[in-house]
Amino acid sequence: MIKTMVLITLTAALFSTGCKENGKASGATNSQQHNAVTARHPPIPRDISINKTNAYNDIFLENADLEKFIVLEKLDEDLASDMRDFYNTRNFEFAWFSSNGIIEQAISFHSLFSSENDSDLFSRSLERRLDKVRAYGDTSIDSRDLGTIKTELQITQRFIKYNRGNYKGIDIEATIPGTYIPAKKIAVADLADSVLSSNKYKSYAKLNGAYGLMASQLQIYNTLAKKGGWQSINESSAKYSLGKSAPAIASIKKRLQLTGELAIIDGTDLFTPELEQAVKTYQLNHGFKSTGAITRDLVKDLNISATRRVQQLLVNMQRLRWMPTSPKGKLIIVNIPEFEVYVDSGTTHLFHMNAVVGAEAHSTTMFSGNINQIVFSPYWNIPPSIVKKEVVPGMKRDRNYLVKRNMEVTGHEGGLPVVRQRPGAHNALGKVKFLFPNSYSIYLHDSPEKKFFSRSERDLSHGCIRLSDASKLAHYLLQTSQTWSSGKIDSAMNSGVQQIVKLAPVVPVIITYYTAWIDDKGVLHFADDIYGHDKTMALKMFIDPGIQ
């Protein structure tokens, strides 16, 4: 996944020197550098067909809001024109907020900058406002609130400057920036056709190799959908395996032939070795254990329509736009629905490992950060929510509850004891944790519960990310250290005494949410929408989101 979704994404270099607030750049102004683009198109007319009923986001700005912002921020004419174009394509619909709160693209855009360490683009006051909005989750947004309007326009200002760098010197459609955040609901089939045929999407695919690869898969599934897809298979409770015969097996063979897992044409109802291998391939690429056996759950997955897969690809192609440019150093990526962590160095994928992510009630948040500390033999400072729901009731039931779990009370706060678990073999964080500052109290860590890593579905934690081989990651991150030998790392992990190591340089971590992706061998994978993020975006993107 890493090579195709990150390392070949957005191959145009970030134009960071052209993103200063005064519009200056090294050797030329923003205006001079952008003239080649603005000279190629007239102002974009306002799309008055967009309204609250069919808009991607259901709240709107006033034209006066933008003009006042342009004056107060003293924007140069090119930037002002680009912002007018951006909002004209949306009929002044908000780009980064809906009535329910901040949208996924705003979170992704913010993470994109964080991963590229471009501190000039988001001011501290804007960072604080975004953190405040995210802290409240899905809350009602007042479209006339001056703070919200300012935040909306400041993000757009930075977004346009960012795109100037990506498209510098490239002949592109003027409306491409507007496609990053959809403006209007559209039928799934219509959007698929537009993505595959429109110049504004084709030219974007030239910049983003991973997007282009996904578009190739979209073409396959869109063609299948137009031909009627595949017939539904009876979801009986029967389990089929090698050597069995049943009428449903012939239907399953036909289904797997359509999507390429079964290469041979075989209309019989016998479960053959070729079918077993095809089933294993399908299972491997769709988040199942690769057993080769046909189960009711597998048939249910096979019955997901071609049109629904087209929808899924379109949703994930929207997310794909927010990955960073090709990194030059170490990079860690967590794909939540895949329950997997990838480790890369530059353009080389090094290794990956199974992970346990947050259960739906404690969902792991999409964001990015930088690992700056490794903690060996860590204490686990138990969150107040867990203390309230689990520890306090346990202490009431059993006077030795804390002793049995190697825990101790270090104080009291907010009417609750402050509890931590001492380092040791049964510590919930295992032998090492990796910290990257964030407002969500999320980090990577080891775990003594190794049995969970063999499960196919691993959304089990309270929000943090457990690693199946945390020791390997620790050795990798410190491999160039002059003071931390392999033996010293092992000793620190097993010492039972907490030790904090500052990591320099820091290592970027990106926590993503892809339910469709292409791996480094060019194979398409699908995963379940475990937190419902696909569903949320589909309801905003499509006029027919409930397709089966």
Side-chain angles (χ1 to χ4, degrees):
M1 183 180 108
I2 298 303
K3 285 185 179 178
T4 55
M5 296 188 66
V6 180
L7 299 179
I8 62 175
T9 295
L10 295 179
T11 54
L14 173 63
F15 179 32
S16 58
T17 56
C19 293
K20 304 301 182 182
E21 290 301 319
N22 60 8
K24 301 291 184 179
S26 176
T29 64
N30 267 347
S31 179
Q32 289 169 329
Q33 290 172 324
H34 198 48
N35 273 344
V37 175
T38 56
R40 286 197 295 269
H41 68 84
I44 296 173
R46 186 164 177 170
D47 187 351
I48 60 174
S49 70
I50 298 172
N51 54 55
K52 288 186 178 181
T53 302
N54 62 20
Y56 183 80
N57 295 321
D58 57 353
I59 54 177
F60 290 75
L61 294 156
E62 299 289 344
N63 180 58
D65 296 328
L66 175 57
E67 294 304 322
K68 183 178 180 181
F69 179 82
I70 288 171
V71 172
L72 291 176
E73 296 292 319
K74 299 178 181 179
L75 303 187
D76 65 61
E77 186 53 37
D78 275 346
L79 182 53
S81 294
D82 282 351
M83 290 193 70
R84 292 186 186 108
D85 283 346
F86 180 82
Y87 282 104
N88 276 338
T89 63
R90 311 182 63 78
N91 198 18
F92 281 77
E93 166 198 347
F94 272 71
W96 311 102
F97 297 93
S98 74
S99 61
N100 292 326
I102 193 167
I103 69 168
E104 182 180 312
Q105 284 89 344
I107 297 169
S108 299
F109 180 50
H110 182 251
S111 292
L112 175 62
F113 278 128
S114 298
S115 68
E116 295 185 343
N117 301 308
D118 203 332
S119 59
D120 289 336
L121 292 171
F122 279 89
S123 66
R124 290 184 179 179
S125 61
L126 181 53
E127 292 275 4
R128 287 194 294 269
R129 289 201 299 275
L130 288 173
D131 281 344
K132 183 178 180 180
V133 172
R134 292 194 69 179
Y136 287 108
D138 291 336
T139 56
S140 179
I141 291 291
D142 181 0
S143 63
R144 302 312 306 150
D145 176 72
L146 295 180
T148 301
I149 293 171
K150 183 178 181 180
T151 301
E152 163 76 18
L153 294 173
Q154 282 185 329
I155 297 174
T156 300
Q157 176 188 3
R158 285 150 177 79
F159 172 66
I160 289 172
K161 287 184 174 184
Y162 180 81
N163 273 309
R164 286 184 178 185
N166 288 333
Y167 302 137
K168 179 184 172 186
I170 300 173
D171 185 13
I172 63 164
E173 280 274 342
T175 55
I176 277 185
T179 65
Y180 276 80
I181 311 101
K184 186 178 180 180
K185 289 181 173 66
I186 187 172
V188 171
D190 291 342
L191 181 57
D193 287 343
S194 179
V195 167
L196 293 170
S197 62
S198 171
N199 285 335
K200 66 184 177 183
Y201 290 104
K202 284 185 174 181
S203 56
Y204 175 76
K206 294 177 183 177
L207 300 179
N208 186 331
Y211 186 93
L213 290 173
M214 290 280 276
S216 297
Q217 292 294 330
L218 177 65
Q219 179 71 72
I220 294 170
Y221 278 84
N222 193 43
T223 299
L224 286 170
K226 286 184 174 182
K227 292 180 179 179
W230 40 76
Q231 292 184 345
S232 180
I233 303 165
N234 181 25
E235 294 180 14
S236 68
S237 58
K239 183 175 181 179
Y240 304 118
S241 57
L242 187 63
K244 300 279 185 168
S245 292
I249 290 176
S251 299
I252 292 168
K253 286 180 179 179
K254 186 174 181 179
R255 165 67 182 83
L256 294 175
Q257 287 165 4
L258 287 171
T259 47
E261 289 84 8
L262 183 61
I264 64 171
I265 297 176
D266 179 3
T268 69
D269 59 7
L270 176 65
F271 199 127
T272 63
E274 290 81 9
L275 176 59
E276 182 181 51
Q277 185 56 52
V279 170
K280 286 182 177 180
T281 299
Y282 185 93
Q283 290 170 327
L284 185 65
N285 298 338
H286 289 74
F288 292 87
K289 284 188 175 181
S290 188
T291 63
I294 297 171
T295 64
R296 184 174 182 179
D297 285 342
L298 181 67
V299 172
K300 185 177 181 179
D301 198 78
L302 288 166
N303 280 338
I304 294 174
S305 71
T307 305
R308 177 56 69 86
R309 290 303 190 193
V310 169
Q311 175 181 293
Q312 190 173 1
L313 286 166
L314 289 168
V315 166
N316 282 273
M317 287 171 75
Q318 279 293 330
R319 290 196 182 110
L320 195 54
R321 293 165 171 260
W322 303 102
M323 295 302 287
T325 53
S326 298
K328 295 180 180 179
K330 298 174 180 177
L331 176 67
I332 297 170
I333 290 187
V334 181
N335 187 23
I336 296 170
E338 188 186 3
F339 315 114
E340 202 74 6
V341 174
Y342 292 83
V343 179
D344 273 37
S345 178
T347 58
T348 303
H349 172 57
L350 300 178
F351 58 91
H352 58 274
M353 64 184 71
N354 290 351
V356 170
V357 302
E360 186 174 2
H362 308 280
S363 59
T364 302
T365 304
M366 289 181 281
F367 71 101
S368 67
N370 295 292
I371 294 180
N372 63 358
Q373 290 184 354
I374 301 175
V375 184
F376 293 116
S377 296
Y379 281 96
W380 178 34
N381 298 304
I382 304 174
S385 59
I386 299 178
V387 171
K388 182 178 180 179
K389 294 179 181 179
E390 299 178 22
V391 177
V392 171
M395 292 168 63
K396 291 179 179 179
R397 291 193 307 269
D398 183 356
R399 59 186 297 180
N400 293 317
Y401 180 90
L402 296 179
V403 174
K404 291 178 180 177
R405 290 160 179 79
N406 200 25
M407 296 177 179
E408 60 185 0
V409 175
T410 60
H412 288 79
E413 187 174 311
L416 288 172
V418 178
V419 183
R420 68 179 183 180
Q421 188 177 37
R422 301 182 186 92
H426 302 291
N427 184 282
L429 304 186
K431 298 178 180 180
V432 60
K433 68 178 179 179
F434 308 87
L435 301 181
F436 41 106
N438 61 82
S439 56
Y440 315 106
S441 300
I442 290 177
Y443 45 86
L444 309 176
H445 66 87
D446 184 28
S447 173
E449 299 287 349
K450 302 300 183 184
K451 61 183 179 182
F452 295 125
F453 294 109
S454 61
R455 294 187 180 184
S456 57
E457 296 180 356
R458 298 188 291 275
D459 47 336
L460 305 165
S461 79
H462 285 89
C464 287
I465 299 156
R466 306 175 195 170
L467 305 176
S468 62
D469 197 349
S471 174
K472 185 172 185 177
L473 181 60
H475 281 80
Y476 168 69
L477 294 177
L478 293 171
Q479 66 180 359
T480 59
S481 171
Q482 299 295 316
T483 58
W484 282 93
S485 65
S486 179
K488 186 175 180 180
I489 292 171
D490 292 338
S491 178
M493 289 179 63
N494 293 282
S495 68
V497 178
Q498 179 170 283
Q499 187 169 2
I500 300 174
V501 180
K502 291 185 177 180
L503 191 63
V506 298
V507 176
V509 177
I510 304 174
I511 301 176
T512 62
Y513 191 93
Y514 287 99
T515 63
W517 69 95
I518 297 174
D519 66 19
D520 55 1
K521 296 179 181 178
V523 177
L524 176 64
H525 294 256
F526 290 107
D528 289 339
D529 181 22
I530 59 173
Y531 295 161
H533 294 330
D534 278 13
K535 181 180 179 180
T536 297
M537 193 181 293
L539 288 169
K540 293 163 68 67
M541 286 179 64
F542 306 114
I543 61 175
D544 50 352
I547 52 176
Q548 296 301 314

